[in-house]
Amino acid sequence: MAKTGLLITSSLSRVPSVLQAARKHVFKTLYIQIEPKNTNIQSIPVYCSAINRIYASSSVHCNNLDVRVLISNLRGQRVQKLSEQVDVLMFDAAVPQSEATLLAEGLRAPSVVQLGQLDSVPDTGVFEEVDAKDNFKMHDNVVLGGTFDRLHLGHKILLSNAVLRTKKRLVVGVTDVNMVKSKKLPELILSVDQRIDDVTNFLKDIDHSLKYEVVPIADPFGPTASDPDLDLIVVSQETLRGGEKVNELRQKNNLNILDIYCLKLLELEPDVGDKETKISSSNQRMDILGTRIRDPEPRPNLHQRPYLIGLVGGIASGKSIMCERLKRFGATVIDCDKLAHSLYEPGTDCFNALKSHFGIGIVGGDGKIDRKVLGSIVFKHKDKLEELNGIVWPRLLEAVREKVADIRQKGEYQVVVIEAAVLIKAGWQKEVHEVWSLIIPPEEAIRRLRERNNLTEDEAKMRIESQLSNQAIVEHSNVVFSSLWSYEFTEKQAIKAWNILQKDLNTEVTSKI
């Protein structure tokens, strides 16, 4: 099977069958080139409907592929070098062998496949159909904006429609880090530089003939607030009001009013009730939960078994419930919070060190350390918290190592989950094979903490702010979960992660046989 393929098609009526056939030959990127009947530049937007339908069909028939419908040839331009080397050239209709070979040589494609069995499907010539609601007016300078996180079909349709309506220059505003904070799971949004690269790569792939300006924007208006040469803004149904606000601002700034082209959102049937009913980056980020966002690094300092997973997350993020799930799946759990409690017991080395450092006032009437009193000291003063950690963390790590060694000696478990909220702050990443984490928005953490611990809002905020940010946690994680939604959805995330882990562990065993 090839990594990348180019499909040349001449009939939309065959697209569903062709896509099903093409996915048997390609596993990553599928370029699609429409054979136009008219390459007059003014007729280019006629193909909008066809391209939209190809992308919609690909969501059903080959949603595992990165589908890209080429536009350069619709302008009469020869398709130049693509970002991916074409490994197989496919046709949906019979083509003379000499012609197919010539095209393949031009693309340096080592393989040619003719999907001739699909010729029985009638060719209705629907690439010539016109949407009566669209006047197909083209403009010299077109603009659009968005987050463009992990390009999906909705993005591709939006960008393609903008390209089809552009004669010379297309400006794309990509929201920077300050504009994505209110998004769902903002911690999983790719960097603005990566998103700009992804958009630029896609645009140059589908049509290399235009001038592209893909820029970061720090407010909803970006270049539209000052660029006098813009003619058209492309929006979706949910951003139409934003387009109207752009024109209100341009009017105030004595700039020309932009024509607005509004695209209908591509709807879908969500696989869980917690998702949106449209193709969106938010849904894609929810799909990432429970998968590996980065591969584990080699840990030559650790034994291969038991496999050690560090489970981290802020207060009230759902770590305890996740641990119960993982125990149900077959893991054993080392609870570092409980282990730390045992270190606080009277007579232990840790107890004596804490009493000596913080004073007799932290010891209650029962002779034990009053954790509430100790907490009131360290959570108000960052330096005191660091002093506490300097005493407890080294002793806790040693206790964890002893627990792991005992589990290894008994040989009862293949997977050990070390629940340690401090793991990243303490720099223990090399003590585990990989890190799994739980995140929830700070406002949800505050709500849960107030409800669970009967704290004031200020007390809850103080505790949340003393922790690592969600962003920092994600940056050190291999797998991320979120318990923000239903119990059932979080359960699905856990099952997904466990199945990935088991597949990897079984592969390791098989490779040694």
Side-chain angles (χ1 to χ4, degrees), residues 104-170:
E105 288 176 353
L107 292 164
R108 293 183 296 150
S111 176
V112 176
V113 174
Q114 295 204 23
L115 307 173
Q117 71 274 18
L118 301 171
D119 284 353
S120 58
V121 180
D123 183 349
T124 59
V126 288
F127 281 140
E128 294 299 334
E129 73 176 30
V130 175
D131 185 344
K133 297 178 181 178
D134 191 339
N135 61 16
F136 298 126
K137 184 179 178 182
M138 297 187 73
H139 300 75
D140 286 342
N141 300 282
V142 178
V143 66
L144 74 159
T147 305
F148 299 108
D149 180 40
R150 296 178 174 84
L151 289 185
H152 55 64
L153 296 178
H155 294 141
K156 292 175 181 179
I157 289 174
L158 190 69
L159 291 166
S160 296
N161 275 264
V163 167
L164 285 163
R165 285 167 172 76
T166 305
K167 290 182 182 179
K168 296 180 180 178
R169 180 177 68 123
L170 178 61

Side-chain angles (χ1 to χ4, degrees), residues 42 98 137 139 240 275 288 319 370 384 432 461 472:
Q42 296 299 335
S98 58
K137 184 179 178 182
H139 300 75
L240 175 58
K275 289 185 177 180
I288 291 170
K319 296 187 300 297
D370 189 325
K384 295 295 182 184
V432 296
K461 280 183 178 179

Side-chain angles (χ1 to χ4, degrees), residues 377-393:
I377 296 172
V378 301
F379 284 121
K380 288 179 180 177
H381 305 283
K382 185 178 180 181
D383 57 334
K384 295 295 182 184
L385 181 59
E386 290 175 356
E387 291 167 8
L388 172 67
N389 294 338
I391 294 170
V392 176
W393 285 355

Side-chain angles (χ1 to χ4, degrees), residues 334-347:
I334 297 174
D335 185 335
C336 285
D337 195 40
K338 289 182 179 178
L339 201 55
H341 273 260
S342 68
L343 299 179
Y344 281 44
E345 288 298 308

Side-chain angles (χ1 to χ4, degrees), residues 265-314:
L265 294 170
L266 194 59
E267 296 182 353
L268 55 69
E269 187 68 34
D271 53 359
V272 293
D274 302 285
K275 289 185 177 180
E276 298 173 338
T277 58
K278 62 183 177 71
I279 290 180
S280 70
S281 295
S282 296
N283 283 351
Q284 285 195 322
R285 289 193 293 276
M286 289 176 73
D287 287 337
I288 291 170
L289 297 171
T291 68
R292 283 218 178 98
I293 60 172
R294 56 180 61 87
D295 292 329
E297 294 181 10
R299 291 283 184 256
N301 58 304
L302 299 177
H303 293 273
Q304 288 188 325
R305 296 292 183 274
Y307 193 85
L308 306 180
I309 296 172
L311 184 67
V312 303

